[in-house]
Amino acid sequence: MSTHTMPDTRPAPFRGAVAAEWTKLFSVRTTWWTALAGLLLMAASAGQLAIYAANANTNDDPADDRGIVTAGSVVIDSMELTQYAVLALGLLAITAEFTSGTIRTTLQCTPSRGRVLLAKATVAGAVTFALGLLLGGVGALVARPVLGEWGRTPAAGTIGDVVAVATYLALVGVFALGLGAALRSAVLTLTVLFATLMIVPLSLQEPDIAVLNRIADIFPGVAGAHFLAGDTEPYPGAVGLLLLAGWAGAALLLGRAALHRRDA
């Protein structure tokens, strides 16, 4: 008598973990409020920077004339402030669970700490990338009419700038997630992010000493800025992207080690 083995319809462990993280992220109001805050910040920043650029070209001081400005460059400049709203998605994906205690349930359902963190990173990276595309599009749409005759929106260049912004946000979102897993506190994680992305590099650059400038160039915010600007000095933009990815990867490893070392 022949026997038939029923196919295993259970989801693969990692795929199931990703599905769970996806559901959790979109089932809380904080995600939607954070996305809305990012959109409002992008629209306001892009509009303001576009006004500054147009006014600089029409005032009585020729020294600050910007000339023709692309909408994509305005979007990139707007990231300095907008990124902090988006970073909240990454850090809250893990710190909110520590605050509420639901991390215990998460780890009971998926005992592998590494798998949990990788699933969270996959979801956070995908969502912040998609949100970055939306933010970039909104920023370009706001900036272009405000720039008027002083603005241009080349299709290929604008799309490239928007994709670069989305890539940057995805990586810093994962970076925030890794730090959140290690530090557990949303406030502490945001403080460290702010220091790492802005305060420490600016402090190193302020004396304008070559060796300190080189150290600052290694930090994630500066590396990301070189990537977004497509710089060739002090290194190509691709190197800036690799440095930023390295920081994100290192943060995940730090977070994984903290999850293994301490109880939830």
Side-chain angles (χ1 to χ4, degrees), residues 78-246:
S78 299
M79 290 309 302
E80 184 172 346
L81 177 62
T82 307
Q83 64 178 329
Y84 291 101
V86 181
L87 284 175
L89 280 177
L91 68 92
L92 289 175
I94 184 74
T95 58
E97 289 206 57
F98 283 117
T99 301
S100 64
T102 54
I103 189 67
R104 297 185 183 91
T105 304
T106 296
L107 294 177
Q108 287 173 354
C109 296
T110 309
S112 170
R113 265 69 167 166
R115 187 183 303 152
V116 167
L117 197 56
L118 185 58
K120 286 182 178 293
T122 300
V123 172
V127 170
T128 49
F129 181 84
L131 180 58
L133 293 177
L134 178 60
L135 291 175
V138 168
L141 287 174
V142 170
R144 181 61 189 89
V146 176
L147 288 170
E149 64 179 308
W150 304 106
R152 297 290 184 273
T153 315
T158 303
I159 292 172
D161 288 336
V162 170
V163 170
V165 161
T167 302
Y168 171 81
L169 287 176
L171 288 173
V172 293
V174 172
F175 178 55
L177 173 72
L179 286 181
L183 301 174
R184 300 191 172 201
S185 163
V187 174
L188 180 57
T189 302
L190 188 58
T191 301
V192 173
L193 282 169
F194 189 67
T196 306
L197 292 172
M198 183 176 294
I199 299 300
V200 175
L202 285 177
S203 299
L204 290 170
Q205 293 170 335
E206 185 64 29
D208 197 21
I209 299 173
V211 64
L212 295 181
N213 288 337
R214 298 293 78 78
I215 295 173
D217 286 330
I218 300 173
F219 276 73
V222 179
H226 288 312
F227 161 63
L228 290 174
D231 289 338
T232 57
E233 295 292 338
Y235 45 69
V239 174
L241 177 61
L242 290 175
L243 283 170
L244 183 57

Side-chain angles (χ1 to χ4, degrees), residues 5-29:
T5 303
M6 295 295 293
D8 188 353
T9 57
R10 294 174 300 175
F14 180 67
R15 189 166 68 245
V18 169
E21 294 303 328
W22 185 273
T23 300
K24 282 189 288 187
L25 186 64
F26 284 100
S27 63
V28 295
R29 294 179 182 177

Side-chain angles (χ1 to χ4, degrees), residues 56-74:
N57 286 321
T58 55
N59 62 22
D60 296 330
D61 184 4
D64 61 1
D65 285 0
R66 292 282 304 277
I68 300 299
V69 176
T70 65
S73 68
V74 174

